[in-house]
Amino acid sequence: MAKIIECVPNFSEGRDKSVIDAIAEAVRATPGATLLDVDPGHSTNRTVYTFVGDPESVVQAALNAAKVAFKLIDMTTHKGEHPRMGALDVCPFIPVRGVSVEECVGVAKVFGQRLAEEVGVPVFLYGAASTRDYRRTMPQIRAGEYEGLKEKLTKEEWGPDYGTRDFVPSWGATVTGVRKFLIAYNVNMIATKEQAHRIALNLREQGRSPDQPGRLKCCQAIGWYLQEQNIAQISINLTDFEVTPVHIAYEEAKKDAEDLNLAVTGSEIVGLVPLAAILQAADYYIEKEKLFILDEEQKVHLAINRLGLTTISSFNPKERIIEYCLENQNSNALANNTVSQFIRSVAARTPAPGGGSVAATVAALGSALGAMVGQMTYGKRQWEALDATMRRLLPPLHNTAVDLIPAIDADTAAFNDYMAALKLPQKTEAEKAKREAAVKAATEATIRVPLSLMSTINGTWDALAEMAGVGNINCRSDLQVGARCLEAGSWGAYYNVLINLDNITDPSTKSTYLAEADALLQRAKQGCSAVLQAVERRQK
């Protein structure tokens, strides 16, 4: 899985279009970084940029943007409604996919150090990257703002984490760190500003006072009125959508609105949102309404509908969901190739993609065939009595087919990492030790990847065998082909384990891996046999 980090730098310029555009262009021109949004504010005199990429690319893009801003922004003349202390006021890094908070902390520290060294400005760490409680939050660090920064830097406890203590008048200081993904979310109401704010106080974590906290954790909220829309809104920041998801905020707002006899008329997400947050909402409504939906696109459609995300503005998933904005960026992924391209790449004079990627592809197709049989049974009048059974059997087959798509690239990636480790320098003892550790880790990855594939395949057999016993009999050949594909995928992964075991030097480790592979293969053989026998029994 590719690592994706979001970076949301806030620059203290929201009025001069030439400056705003120049900073945006610095991000766009950085290889590996994708600029998703530019949101200038005239009254705040501040522009929020949103871009994503791999760890190295987002750091470089943020640095490139900062260097342009250093030439064009002068804080000595800056005025705006938003609190600020620097030209690049704050630069948070947010884990989106395949990256932990700890990894993002490392990214923020790399950025902070490079910014201080290459631009020559003071940099503070905040959030998960900070190690001092009294300077962990933005309000703590930003207290006194730009105007109080010169004196603040002279105090021992306010020495920057990186860079000079000297006051840089044109720049001020920058704060960088890590936060979880913040979802800016508004609930639309036909109500007064005061009524909307009353509900906001009920919901937000701080509530009305320490003695009257609100109901929702990791939730900030206020009520306001949109004159141009002639409606009120509860404006919400969800600082951790895994703690308080979007749909919970929406449902709780509706509950309070009903108590006040007020109408909720939908909601809107401001900016971009992770796919996981939308799928959370879809799964909630699927369970609540006892629906049966497997397809991701249909789940997204359901969430948009149930949350009323298009009532006052458009919500195009391809433009608003981060992963969808990036889906065309990784054009080199094998799984994104056409069938023809993939076959030609396998046939080329290169060691990868090879048997491991082919095994994953075949296994994914096998599980997909099982799901297809379920789809050709579910919802049809003649097999209506099997609807409940299909609702139970379809998900493991459909989900496995989808989950195996990334495995097509995982084997090639593991092989490439192993080859890269072999090429590491080994002139000094330190280099030798680093290379040895890298080779060991990469070697074990080339074994764990096919073992994981075998384990995933084995999660399909029970559902596929039962499907073979009751599913649409007109699709029996699809069940037989699917079972053979899954078994072939397991055999392919098994052979990859065997060849990569040659690179393991420890006999005990090698024996453990081999025993695991043997057991997984045995289960696949038994599973395939059970499916084929179930089909044959129905033909007699």
Side-chain angles (χ1 to χ4, degrees):
M1 179 183 292
K3 294 183 177 182
I4 299 177
I5 294 177
E6 181 187 52
C7 184
V8 190
N10 290 222
F11 286 92
S12 296
E13 177 55 70
R15 299 168 184 170
D16 190 329
K17 188 175 185 301
S18 64
V19 175
I20 295 168
D21 289 348
I23 294 171
E25 185 54 37
V27 175
R28 287 193 191 95
T30 306
T34 302
L35 182 64
L36 299 177
D37 191 51
V38 179
D39 184 15
H42 187 273
S43 62
T44 59
N45 200 9
R46 183 183 187 88
T47 298
V48 179
Y49 298 81
T50 303
F51 57 90
V52 292
D54 59 87
E56 293 77 16
S57 298
V58 292
V59 168
Q60 191 59 57
L63 281 170
N64 292 344
K67 290 176 181 178
V68 169
F70 187 77
K71 298 176 182 177
L72 300 177
I73 296 177
D74 182 0
M75 288 300 294
T76 64
T77 62
H78 182 272
K79 298 292 182 182
E81 293 183 11
H82 199 288
R84 79 284 183 270
M85 64 186 292
L88 170 49
D89 190 55
V90 59
C91 187
F93 294 90
I94 301 106
V96 174
R97 188 177 73 187
V99 185
S100 66
V101 169
E102 290 72 23
E103 287 178 277
C104 275
V105 167
V107 167
K109 289 181 176 179
V110 169
F111 168 74
Q113 184 172 5
R114 289 188 61 186
L115 180 66
E117 292 173 352
E118 298 177 26
V119 181
V121 296
V123 180
F124 294 89
L125 296 174
Y126 87 112
S130 175
T131 58
R132 287 172 273 193
D133 288 338
Y134 70 90
R135 48 193 277 181
R136 185 175 295 274
T137 68
M138 280 303 301
Q140 288 172 324
I141 299 172
R142 203 190 266 143
E145 296 192 42
Y146 169 80
E147 288 74 14
L149 182 61
K150 183 176 182 179
E151 180 182 352
K152 194 172 191 174
L153 287 169
T154 65
K155 298 178 180 179
E156 182 62 31
E157 68 272 23
W158 284 104
D161 291 284
Y162 301 105
T164 179
R165 275 181 175 271
D166 296 334
F167 180 56
V168 183
S170 65
W171 184 267
T174 292
V175 185
T176 187
V178 177
R179 63 168 171 81
K180 290 196 172 182
F181 197 99
L182 183 149
I183 298 178
Y185 180 60
N186 300 326
V187 177
N188 310 321
M189 304 177 63
I190 299 176
T192 66
K193 171 185 174 181
E194 292 75 16
Q195 289 169 324
H197 190 61
R198 190 188 312 174
I199 296 175
L201 294 176
N202 294 341
L203 300 184
R204 69 185 190 184
E205 183 170 10
Q206 72 181 87
R208 289 172 169 76
S209 67
D211 296 331
Q212 292 181 290
R215 299 199 301 272
L216 303 182
K217 300 294 184 184
C218 302
C219 175
Q220 304 163 347
I222 61 171
W224 61 26
Y225 202 84
L226 290 183
Q227 293 293 345
E228 63 274 21
Q229 298 289 343
N230 196 26
I231 61 170
Q233 282 187 326
I234 305 170
S235 176
I236 300 171
N237 281 341
L238 298 173
T239 58
D240 189 340
F241 70 87
E242 293 178 346
V243 175
T244 297
V246 170
H247 61 273
I248 294 300
Y250 185 61
E251 291 298 322
E252 289 298 309
K254 285 174 61 179
K255 186 185 304 180
D256 283 16
E258 288 174 8
D259 291 341
L260 295 174
N261 296 318
L262 300 173
V264 169
T265 59
S267 64
E268 64 174 342
I269 290 173
V270 181
L272 302 167
V273 64
L275 175 61
I278 297 298
L279 294 182
Q280 274 182 333
D283 290 341
Y284 169 81
Y285 290 109
I286 288 169
E287 181 177 356
K288 179 182 178 181
E289 300 173 28
K290 296 180 174 58
L291 307 174
F292 182 65
I293 303 174
L294 293 173
D295 183 76
E296 182 176 285
E297 184 177 353
Q298 292 179 341
K299 286 186 176 184
V300 170
H301 176 76
L302 176 72
I304 292 170
N305 176 271
R306 293 298 187 265
L307 295 171
L309 293 179
T310 60
T311 51
I312 65 171
S313 60
S314 64
F315 187 93
N316 183 343
K318 299 298 182 183
E319 297 174 354
R320 304 294 297 281
I321 295 175
I322 291 175
E323 289 85 347
Y324 292 173
C325 292
L326 293 174
E327 65 184 6
N328 295 322
Q329 298 298 317
N330 191 16
S331 57
N332 293 325
L334 294 170
N336 288 345
N337 287 349
T338 64
V339 174
S340 174
Q341 289 170 329
F342 178 67
I343 292 172
R344 290 177 187 278
S345 65
V346 172
R349 193 191 293 268
T350 56
S357 294
V358 171
T361 303
V362 170
L365 290 171
S367 190
L369 281 169
M372 184 201 81
V373 175
Q375 297 280 17
M376 296 300 292
T377 308
Y378 176 73
K380 290 184 178 291
R381 184 65 179 269
Q382 65 193 105
W383 292 296
E384 189 176 0
L386 293 172
D387 278 1
T389 301
M390 292 302 111
R391 284 188 175 217
R392 178 170 52 82
L393 298 181
L394 262 168
L397 295 168
H398 175 274
N399 294 341
T400 296
V402 174
D403 292 345
L404 284 178
I405 294 173
I408 297 170
D409 285 276
D411 183 83
T412 298
F415 175 79
N416 290 338
D417 288 345
Y418 173 73
M419 296 304 295
L422 290 178
K423 295 175 183 177
L424 289 173
Q426 46 184 332
K427 294 180 181 178
T428 66
E429 290 302 315
E431 287 179 341
K432 289 179 181 178
K434 182 178 179 180
R435 178 184 180 277
E436 182 180 348
V439 170
K440 182 176 183 295
T443 298
E444 296 209 16
T446 63
I447 296 169
R448 287 196 301 271
V449 166
L451 285 175
S452 175
L453 174 59
M454 296 176 77
S455 180
T456 301
I457 289 170
N458 283 347
T460 67
W461 294 118
D462 289 343
L464 192 61
E466 189 172 350
M467 183 72 73
V470 298
N472 187 335
I473 191 61
N474 298 319
C475 299
R476 58 186 178 275
S477 63
D478 300 298
L479 287 164
Q480 292 164 321
V481 173
R484 288 297 191 188
C485 283
L486 284 162
E487 185 188 34
S490 193
W491 271 107
Y494 179 77
Y495 291 136
N496 270 269
V497 171
L498 293 188
I499 194 169
N500 290 314
L501 280 177
D502 292 341
N503 299 319
I504 297 289
T505 56
D506 178 52
S508 176
T509 301
K510 182 180 290 190
S511 177
T512 299
Y513 278 136
L514 182 59
E516 183 179 354
D518 284 338
L520 290 169
L521 180 63
Q522 185 62 27
R523 171 68 181 112
K525 291 160 67 175
Q526 293 170 348
C528 181
S529 177
V531 173
L532 297 178
Q533 289 176 20
V535 174
E536 289 170 4
R537 283 195 295 269
R538 296 184 69 189
Q539 290 179 287
K540 294 179 180 178

